[in-house]
Amino acid sequence: MSAEADGFRQPLRSNPFGTKTTKEQNTNSIHPNVMNTRRDFLKTSVLSGAALAIGIKSYAEATSPKDVTLEAFNAASGNAFEITPFIVIDKSGTVTLYNPRPDMGQGTWQSMPALLAEELEISLDAVKIEPTNGLKKYGSQLSGGSGSVRGSWIPYRTAGAAVRTMLIAAAAQTWSGSGLNVSEADCYAENGKVVHKPSGKRLAYGELIEKAATMPIPKEPKLKDPKDFKILGKPMPRPDIPMKVDGSAQFGIDIKVPGMLYASIERSPAIHGKVTSFDAASAKKIKGVKHVMKSERKLFQMNLEGVAVLADTYWGALQGRKALNIKWDDSAAKDISTNALFKQMRELATTDGAVDDKLNRGNVAQALAGAAKRLDAIYETPFLAHAAMEPLNVIAHIRGDKAEIWVPAQGPDGVIRSVAQYLKIPAENVTVHITFLGGAFGRKAVMDFVLEAVHLSKSVNAPVKLVWTREDDMTQGPFRPGMLSAMKGALDAQGNVVAFEHKIVGASIQHQAFAPLPAGKVDDWMTEGVTAEDSPYGFPNFHFRYVMAETQIPVVWWRSVYGSTNMFGHESFIDELAHAAGKDPLTFRLALLANAPAEHAATARRFEAVLKMLAEKSGWNEKLPVGKGRGIAITRSFATICAHAVTVSRGADGKVKIEKVVGVIDCGMTVNPATVKAQTEGNIVMGLTAALRDGITFKNGRAEQANFDAYRVLRIHEIPAMEIHIMQNGEAPGGVGEPGLPPVAPALTNAVFAATGKRIRTLPFNIDEV
């Protein structure tokens, strides 16, 4: 929470994460006497230098002293010392570790501090964990792209190791000053203390922190050997779970501030509809309604309209919304239809599309023409909603040129940037408080809902809490784009693949959301999963093509971005080629990997290891009875390889049932293997739901699914048995939150083919009707 130095007082609140804070910290401006003594100046210089030395790039790039010195001043004045932006230790020995990646269920509340604690030699049970607040010194604070651990593995451990090294140096100096001849080599850190091995003397971190803050900064502190890890790689309880169970953890939906109004916005049932009239008088007759006004929603390049009702209770806002009787002009949306779009995409699949020559090798057309056998197939995947359990919500309070935001968003730095740009105010005038997120899947990295609340708060000069309904979330987007994969392949007389082409047709997120894609250019996000790096099969002739299908339906990343769409076609078609060659699908893949491009041979060997473990753990080589089938798929996304084997069978009632999913994941070294398993299981459930339940469809510009009655999810009794295995190979960490999803659908449909002989090429499908 901001202090009075911000120019206005803030209502006090409890910490949303259930942890205690010793003092409120000013995060946006410098106290006027921040450097009132030479001692403060020297201490600040030392602390700034620490971050420069330990390689926290964004900290080193701070353009103004206020970006790095304020918390150091606040900490120093309270007998606490910040040696890096992520670690604060006070004289009582209390250690506070800062988590820069918002936790939306993926476990960053534990994993990020664990990287620091491992090298700092302190138990996570003995520390306080706090969220960061978007300041530059913390670097990127986005939870997305499965990048939290893989992008922080070395930098955060280095930060912890640097502080440990400085504390050991401080202890050696302290003991040497008392008459002992102590070298740093005679000391080690353990459980928040530095120990002198010969004498057994111990000094707690709190006793050393002031001296440690004056120690030379190690440029390359020695990191622990993984064999000595006490935290990383060990299954352990997550510290956020008890808070979430007993209700002390606060999500955005829980937050209240004094004097706030609740807002609910009626939006056009048809995408891009314009308000022509509304009945404000009737809405204001509802008890508690204070304001009725047009709202604005800036979503990427789109400006979408609505009518907001603000009341002193959420119920009042909802009831007022129902009384608005809005007339809409939805003429611009009448032709928006997913049926028409997919028809257009099938037509576009016959065109050449854009080519990136760096991705291609050989001559596919020539190989196709001379092949013994040729296959062509089209695979389709639908639009999908994110449907996180916690609906979109935010509190905004705009006072003059200052903004304060409470929000469950995927990145506080993104909130600051978006709000500052929208209001045309300096970034340092925006204060943000990030709470736990009740799911996100990419949706809460888009700040349109935040800016809606900012607009309303500025208009009424009061704090405003905006809550989207489930219907708002389901019908208004942005959505995972519906996509099409047009595949071509060819075999020689011996059943070897001689040509493989993957043409992707669909909307470009980059083009719609950020900047127009130049004609003839491949959207580089679109290649996810299908390049030789991500799919190192040894095709002698390989082409990737992309054809853009523009749409007015808003689209954005969804869990695994394009991986879940691309790999359905890619791995399903590999299976088709294997069966056309009369070969076992797993052996077929291993043969292709054996001939991987030389520059990707190491990745191919990891693929082979994953497939071999999958064969062993799933019982791949056992003979199955008639009516039972097993399918596999393997993909690489976010630097992690994951493969699934799905077993299905036809029951006495004639219906196909999923019996079991066995997954093998190679994500390199891990923080908490229990979290890896949980995330992979969650990906399996989400992947099966996307394959078997409902897509989002549009007719006359309107989404036809508005809640979970029509956009169904798998129920707990429908979840098959799951078994997850983690490869242990000491490789650098990859992502975990998303890579388990892309192989789910192709493994399932490949299993259905193995059991029934029916090939599924369009998702979703009704497994009861196969």
Side-chain angles (χ1 to χ4, degrees):
M1 183 67 72
S2 303
E4 290 182 68
D6 281 328
F8 49 85
R9 293 182 60 86
Q10 310 298 326
L12 295 177
R13 66 175 179 90
S14 61
N15 185 284
F17 296 91
T19 56
K20 296 179 180 179
T21 54
T22 56
K23 62 187 291 180
E24 301 295 336
Q25 291 189 338
N26 183 330
T27 59
N28 285 305
S29 62
I30 296 183
H31 195 283
N33 63 352
V34 63
M35 291 183 180
N36 59 350
T37 68
R38 180 174 180 274
R39 177 180 176 82
D40 287 330
F41 176 81
L42 291 174
K43 187 177 297 180
T44 298
S45 299
V46 169
L47 297 176
S48 302
L52 289 168
I54 63 177
I56 308 294
K57 184 172 184 287
S58 59
Y59 196 38
E61 290 177 345
T63 57
S64 165
K66 67 183 177 182
D67 288 326
V68 296
T69 60
L70 180 64
E71 289 190 18
F73 169 77
N74 283 344
S77 65
N79 293 319
F81 297 84
E82 176 193 82
I83 297 180
T84 86
F86 306 100
I87 302 171
V88 173
I89 305 175
D90 67 24
K91 288 186 176 180
S92 73
T94 300
V95 178
T96 302
L97 304 180
Y98 283 86
N99 170 38
R101 304 298 176 106
D103 195 306
M104 48 193 174
Q106 83 281 37
T108 52
W109 190 250
Q110 176 186 66
S111 61
M112 304 308 291
L115 297 173
L116 299 167
E118 179 66 73
E119 297 289 348
L120 191 57
E121 292 290 4
I122 191 166
S123 168
L124 277 179
D125 295 334
V127 305
K128 294 192 305 182
I129 302 172
E130 299 285 357
T132 59
N133 51 17
L135 292 188
K136 292 181 188 177
K137 68 177 182 177
Y138 295 112
S140 172
Q141 293 151 72
L142 172 68
S143 281
S146 296
S148 295
V149 170
R150 67 187 173 108
S152 307
W153 182 260
I154 296 300
Y156 283 47
R157 288 177 57 208
T158 300
V163 175
R164 181 191 73 231
T165 303
M166 296 163 74
L167 288 164
I168 289 174
Q173 278 195 16
T174 299
W175 283 317
S176 294
S178 63
L180 289 174
N181 184 17
V182 176
S183 71
E184 295 175 28
D186 291 331
C187 305
Y188 64 95
E190 179 182 75
N191 293 328
K193 296 180 176 65
V194 177
V195 182
H196 181 229
K197 285 183 283 189
S199 68
K201 289 181 177 291
R202 294 170 180 261
L203 285 172
Y205 286 173
E207 301 174 83
L208 297 168
I209 189 60
E210 188 166 8
K211 182 180 288 292
T214 68
M215 291 289 106
I217 311 304
K219 293 183 178 180
E220 296 182 3
K222 184 178 180 180
L223 300 180
K224 293 174 66 175
D225 189 307
K227 68 180 176 55
D228 297 323
F229 285 164
K230 299 171 184 173
I231 298 174
L232 302 181
K234 309 293 191 293
M236 51 187 168
R238 280 172 41 178
D240 54 313
I241 299 302
M243 292 187 286
K244 291 174 179 176
V245 171
D246 67 23
S248 60
Q250 287 187 303
F251 294 80
I253 203 76
D254 300 318
I255 302 296
K256 298 178 182 178
V257 299
M260 77 180 191
L261 297 174
Y262 289 89
S264 187
I265 299 175
E266 182 71 5
R267 310 165 196 281
S268 173
I271 294 288
H272 306 292
K274 301 294 184 183
V275 178
T276 58
S277 67
F278 58 93
D279 187 354
S282 293
K284 288 181 178 178
K285 292 177 182 178
I286 303 298
K287 181 180 178 180
V289 172
K290 304 298 183 186
H291 306 277
V292 178
M293 66 185 68
K294 282 184 69 172
S295 65
E296 63 178 37
R297 178 185 174 210
K298 293 191 176 298
L299 177 63
F300 308 133
Q301 314 305 317
M302 306 173 189
N303 292 300
L304 306 175
E305 294 183 3
V307 180
V309 177
L310 289 79
D312 53 18
T313 66
Y314 182 56
W315 178 254
L318 278 177
Q319 297 310 303
R321 173 179 170 177
K322 293 177 181 177
L324 285 170
N325 190 28
I326 302 176
K327 305 300 182 186
W328 299 96
D329 175 7
D330 57 8
S331 57
K334 60 182 175 58
D335 293 329
I336 298 176
S337 157
T338 45
N339 281 341
L341 178 62
F342 273 95
K343 181 174 184 283
Q344 178 196 13
M345 288 162 62
R346 293 181 202 108
E347 293 169 354
L348 288 171
T350 63
T351 64
D352 289 340
V355 175
D356 185 342
D357 290 333
K358 297 191 301 294
L359 304 178
N360 298 337
R361 57 187 179 273
N363 189 322
V364 168
Q366 185 177 9
L368 287 170
K373 183 178 291 187
R374 171 175 171 163
L375 282 75
D376 295 79
I378 288 179
Y379 296 85
E380 297 179 8
T381 52
F383 286 84
L384 293 176
H386 299 79
M389 286 298 98
E390 180 190 25
L392 297 172
N393 66 90
V394 56
I395 298 174
H397 196 181
I398 311 305
R399 281 169 281 193
D401 65 348
K402 302 289 179 69
E404 188 158 17
I405 311 293
W406 294 260
V407 62
Q410 288 181 234
D413 45 348
V415 176
I416 289 176
R417 184 168 53 250
S418 296
V419 172
Q421 290 174 353
Y422 180 74
L423 293 175
K424 296 180 172 57
I425 61 176
E428 56 265 30
N429 287 14
V430 182
T431 302
V432 62
H433 312 283
I434 295 293
T435 66
F436 282 118
L437 288 70
F441 312 118
R443 176 61 180 93
K444 292 171 185 173
V446 183
M447 301 304 165
D448 57 316
F449 69 106
V450 175
L451 300 184
E452 283 185 318
V454 167
H455 168 73
L456 297 175
S457 175
K458 184 178 180 180
S459 298
V460 302
N461 195 31
V464 172
K465 179 162 192 170
L466 171 65
V467 181
W468 282 41
T469 65
R470 178 62 60 195
E471 289 78 8
D472 293 335
D473 178 57
M474 206 80 81
T475 62
Q476 298 296 313
F479 306 94
R480 184 191 82 170
M483 302 297 293
L484 181 150
S485 287
M487 314 298 302
K488 295 179 181 179
L491 303 168
D492 64 16
Q494 290 73 44
N496 300 310
V497 178
V498 294
F500 191 97
E501 179 176 285
H502 190 157
K503 182 187 297 179
I504 292 174
V505 184
S508 162
I509 296 170
Q510 290 196 63
H511 177 80
Q512 188 187 97
F514 301 107
L517 198 66
K521 178 175 171 51
V522 172
D523 180 338
D524 52 6
W525 292 359
M526 200 68 65
T527 64
E528 189 169 33
V530 302
T531 64
E533 181 180 17
D534 285 339
S535 182
Y537 294 128
F539 304 126
N541 300 283
F542 171 81
H543 273 186
F544 171 83
R545 298 177 181 273
Y546 170 56
V547 184
M548 186 190 301
E550 295 196 57
T551 176
Q552 295 182 68
I553 300 171
V555 297
V556 80
W557 43 75
W558 185 88
R559 193 174 191 175
S560 79
V561 197
Y562 287 110
S564 64
T565 55
N566 294 353
M567 299 316 293
F568 172 57
H570 202 77
E571 279 293 298
S572 294
F573 196 60
I574 291 289
D575 202 72
E576 290 207 44
L577 288 169
H579 285 283
K583 297 181 179 181
D584 173 84
L586 192 147
T587 303
F588 187 76
R589 286 173 169 83
L590 290 174
L592 286 170
L593 291 166
N595 294 312
E599 63 272 26
H600 301 297
T603 301
R605 302 297 82 79
R606 292 176 69 176
F607 267 66
E608 291 170 350
V610 169
L611 284 173
K612 289 174 182 177
M613 178 178 278
L614 185 68
E616 173 193 345
K617 300 299 183 181
S618 68
W620 176 261
N621 293 317
E622 68 183 11
K623 184 174 176 59
L624 298 177
V626 174
K628 180 177 283 193
R630 190 167 286 140
I632 60 167
I634 183 169
T635 65
R636 181 183 183 272
S637 57
F638 308 101
T640 286
I641 301 163
C642 187
H644 296 312
V646 177
T647 302
V648 303
S649 62
R650 193 181 292 280
D653 60 359
K655 295 181 178 180
V656 175
K657 175 185 176 182
I658 305 171
E659 291 189 356
K660 189 175 185 179
V661 181
V662 177
V664 175
I665 184 167
D666 176 1
C667 56
M669 291 183 282
T670 67
V671 172
N672 186 348
T675 298
V676 175
K677 289 185 177 182
Q679 286 294 296
T680 306
E681 290 171 346
N683 273 305
I684 290 170
V685 173
M686 198 165 180
L688 291 176
T689 294
L692 297 172
R693 288 299 180 258
D694 306 290
I696 294 291
T697 57
F698 278 81
K699 184 177 182 180
N700 298 323
R702 301 183 178 211
E704 297 183 293
Q705 297 76 27
N707 212 316
F708 288 117
D709 59 328
Y711 190 73
R712 300 163 297 163
V713 297
L714 287 184
R715 308 296 291 270
I716 194 166
H717 70 277
E718 299 173 306
I719 307 300
M722 292 180 285
E723 185 180 303
I724 310 301
H725 302 274
I726 304 171
M727 299 291 291
Q728 304 291 334
N729 55 19
E731 295 282 354
V736 168
E738 299 166 273
L741 198 152
V744 174
L748 170 62
T749 55
N750 291 342
V752 169
F753 177 81
T756 68
K758 296 180 179 179
R759 181 64 67 180
I760 307 297
R761 297 194 181 102
T762 300
L763 298 182
F765 73 102
N766 188 339
I767 198 169
D768 290 339
E769 296 179 356
V770 174

